[in-house]
Amino acid sequence: MIIKNAKLVTEENKTKIQDILIKDGKIKRIADYIEVIDEEVIDANDKLILPGGIDVHVHLREPGFTHKETIKTGSLAALHGGYTTIMPMPNINPFPDNVEVIKAYQALLQKDGACNIYPYACITRGEIGKHLVDMKAIKELGISWFSDDGVGVQREDMMYKAMQSAHENDVMIVAHTEDMRYRKVKACMHEGKRNKELDLIGIPSACEFKQIERDLQLAYETKAKYHICHMSSKESVELLKKYKQMGADVSGEVTTHHLLLNEHDVENTNHKMNPPLRSKEDQQALINGLLEGVIDFVANDHAPHSEEEKKAPMDSAPFGIVALETSIPLIYTKFVKKGIFTLEQFQKFISTNPAKRFGFDTKGSIQEGYDADIICIAEKVGKIDKKAFISLGKNTPFDQYDVACEINFSMVNGIIKYTSKEVQNEA
Ligand SMILES: [Zn+2]
């Protein structure tokens, strides 16, 4: 296959029109002009071609909660949104916390997954925080990422053990940080100004950054590879900056919704997520943290729930929003088009940097020898429409938001797996 007239990002906002030859799932050659012999041709018509998005924080809900999402719908939603690689979190049922369950889980992902899927295993059995999983045995199944996402590992001695084991086995701890001593029952949004207006119980920033501080110190001491999930507060950014400067092997991610919204946007349960949308100051600190390289990349915590579940009152509805089908268009519209992110930064934040950090050596870049995981982004004014989501979850605060682009196609390992209606009509 040959992609003709692909607009590739070179540096900052500079681009270059190139042809791309794809063979055996890999990018074989990139040149000004590649002659077509008998290859299938896709004409990108000078549209932006990027390495496929890599989202390291996704909830596919299967097995266990298939009324919210399935491996199939979640991975198809990823492709619709421009993500070709996703990493599902392990808070499913049964928990992937031992070799036997993980093998069955991997077989299910293999059978139903429409894009590249690299699952996490739990840090502790059943995410209860009491017994460490066998990281050595699980690594032999090809899993080098461990998380108890959904809850923080509450006990310091347990996290210390986990980090020691992670270091010994050269795997990464990916932490949802939440010190439950700071979270009151029924707390459902940021403890700041807006929660008082709405008369709701707040979750203080300390709930997150106190545990981050503990973990960063443990990572520094044990030399473990450690990554912070969904950072939300300015204090968290400062702490990550400090420990990076000290030389710890640590990183962090931020969601698109924490970059775009703050507590004052909270109106209903589609603005309820954990960690919560925090203050304007926090929001700005997250944007700056990403621009300065303190926060490494964007990951979205795609968290589908049924409409029924989200109909509950603020203090009892489940946390989380869907994101796979909104994030790339939103970042492009709100940050790239406005000149806040360069095209190069955009590419790094959604693909290159997560690939590097998670050790996907042949992903995250359009280069010869790399995997042909490729997306095409077309300039097109439109609106986000939750009715058009492939995800079973429609719980988004961004429905009817204006966007300036759409994903024309998503290719995984050299095969087109998603094509937009517009492109289908042209063909
Ligand atoms: Zn989480």
Side-chain angles (χ1 to χ4, degrees):
M1 184 181 283
I2 294 175
I3 303 177
K4 282 272 174 196
N5 307 308
K7 187 197 273 185
L8 301 183
V9 178
T10 52
E11 56 177 314
E12 293 180 348
N13 279 316
K14 292 193 192 112
T15 56
K16 197 175 177 189
I17 305 294
Q18 297 275 272
D19 289 354
I20 306 169
L21 173 66
I22 291 155
K23 216 179 160 191
D24 303 325
K26 299 272 179 190
I27 297 168
K28 184 89 178 162
R29 211 177 132 221
I30 300 171
D32 291 341
Y33 176 81
I34 298 176
E35 197 183 348
V36 180
I37 301 168
D38 54 4
E39 296 88 355
E40 192 185 327
V41 175
I42 311 167
D43 195 341
N45 280 316
D46 297 357
K47 280 178 259 180
L48 191 60
I49 293 285
L50 295 180
I54 298 174
D55 195 322
V56 307
H57 196 131
V58 169
H59 295 277
L60 292 180
R61 308 296 194 204
E62 184 180 2
F65 308 94
T66 50
H67 66 288
K68 295 176 193 272
E69 191 78 289
T70 67
I71 291 164
K72 193 172 177 185
T73 56
S75 57
L76 286 171
L79 293 167
H80 181 211
Y83 287 96
T84 54
T85 298
I86 53 175
M87 299 187 66
M89 282 297 175
N91 46 346
I92 47 177
N93 185 15
F95 286 98
D97 59 4
N98 66 76
V99 168
E100 204 177 320
V101 168
I102 291 172
K103 278 186 177 166
Y105 178 41
Q106 286 176 316
L108 194 61
L109 290 169
Q110 188 65 35
K111 180 170 80 68
D112 285 351
C115 62
N116 302 307
I117 306 183
Y118 297 92
Y120 288 89
C122 304
I123 298 170
T124 66
R125 295 213 305 258
E127 295 197 1
I128 292 166
K130 287 208 172 120
H131 304 281
L132 198 62
V133 301
D134 185 345
M135 290 186 184
K136 186 166 185 276
I138 292 171
K139 193 188 178 185
E140 281 167 17
L141 301 176
I143 296 179
S144 297
W145 318 277
F146 293 80
S147 181
D148 271 6
D149 189 51
V151 290
V153 174
Q154 298 304 313
R155 278 175 47 184
E156 182 168 352
D157 58 340
M158 176 50 67
M159 194 47 129
Y160 181 63
K161 260 195 196 166
M163 292 227 202
Q164 281 182 315
S165 177
H167 180 58
E168 273 163 29
N169 293 295
D170 190 25
V171 298
M172 182 153 61
I173 297 289
V174 178
H176 168 119
T177 53
E178 187 173 22
D179 187 328
M180 295 305 279
R181 290 174 299 185
Y182 294 86
R183 187 170 131 196
K184 292 187 189 120
V185 179
K186 294 210 163 186
C188 58
M189 61 179 293
H190 176 58
E191 185 173 288
K193 290 179 186 150
R194 180 72 175 147
N195 73 304
K196 290 177 185 76
E197 289 169 17
L198 297 174
D199 196 22
L200 291 165
I201 299 172
I203 304 170
S205 296
C207 190
E208 171 177 287
F209 73 75
K210 285 288 180 187
Q211 198 163 81
I212 287 180
E213 188 166 31
R214 177 200 79 181
D215 283 2
L216 287 169
Q217 182 60 30
L218 291 176
Y220 180 70
E221 284 170 21
T222 59
K223 299 187 170 62
K225 202 184 288 180
Y226 174 81
H227 176 77
I228 309 167
C229 296
H230 41 57
M231 294 174 67
S232 72
S233 80
K234 57 182 190 292
E235 293 87 350
S236 306
V237 181
E238 281 309 308
L239 284 162
L240 180 57
K241 186 176 180 178
K242 177 179 151 191
Y243 278 85
K244 277 191 167 182
Q245 282 168 350
M246 284 160 64
D249 188 358
V250 294
S251 55
E253 71 193 28
V254 61
T255 71
T256 304
H257 46 275
H258 285 100
L259 293 173
L260 279 177
L261 304 174
N262 61 61
E263 59 172 336
H264 299 289
D265 295 302
V266 174
E267 279 172 10
N268 57 52
T269 60
N270 284 333
H271 301 99
K272 180 181 177 181
M273 64 285 286
N274 190 15
L277 300 170
R278 298 203 184 274
S279 71
K280 266 188 190 159
E281 250 186 299
D282 292 302
Q283 182 190 3
Q284 196 55 52
L286 295 169
I287 296 169
N288 294 345
L290 189 59
L291 287 170
E292 288 164 14
V294 176
I295 297 176
D296 297 76
F297 51 81
V298 174
N300 289 302
D301 197 5
H302 174 79
H305 295 291
S306 73
E307 272 175 84
E308 211 46 48
E309 289 165 321
K310 275 291 198 182
K311 266 187 202 154
M314 266 301 267
D315 58 7
S316 57
F319 289 104
I321 63 167
V322 289
L324 282 170
E325 291 165 276
T326 56
S327 291
I328 289 179
L330 283 171
I331 298 170
Y332 185 78
T333 307
K334 305 288 183 186
F335 292 103
V336 180
K337 291 292 279 183
K338 290 190 174 171
I340 301 165
F341 297 171
T342 64
L343 283 170
E344 188 185 11
Q345 284 169 325
F346 178 46
Q347 177 167 295
K348 280 186 174 168
F349 297 157
I350 65 164
S351 187
T352 314
N353 290 0
K356 275 193 185 146
R357 182 61 178 159
F358 280 73
F360 302 130
D361 296 336
T362 55
K363 297 193 188 298
S365 185
I366 306 278
Q367 275 185 59
E368 290 174 4
Y370 274 58
D371 299 346
D373 292 345
I374 292 171
I375 58 169
C376 176
I377 297 182
E379 292 267 337
K380 190 187 174 195
V381 174
K383 282 185 192 299
I384 287 176
D385 178 8
K386 67 178 181 181
K387 288 190 225 79
F389 289 174
I390 299 170
S391 171
L392 299 183
K394 313 295 173 196
N395 46 314
T396 176
F398 298 116
D399 190 38
Q400 299 307 312
Y401 263 53
D402 292 326
V403 283
C405 73
E406 75 157 23
I407 310 301
N408 260 189
F409 66 78
S410 300
M411 171 188 280
V412 181
N413 298 313
I415 298 165
I416 300 264
K417 291 291 186 97
Y418 166 79
T419 328
S420 70
K421 284 206 177 69
E422 188 180 86
V423 174
Q424 285 168 18
N425 290 342
E426 276 170 20

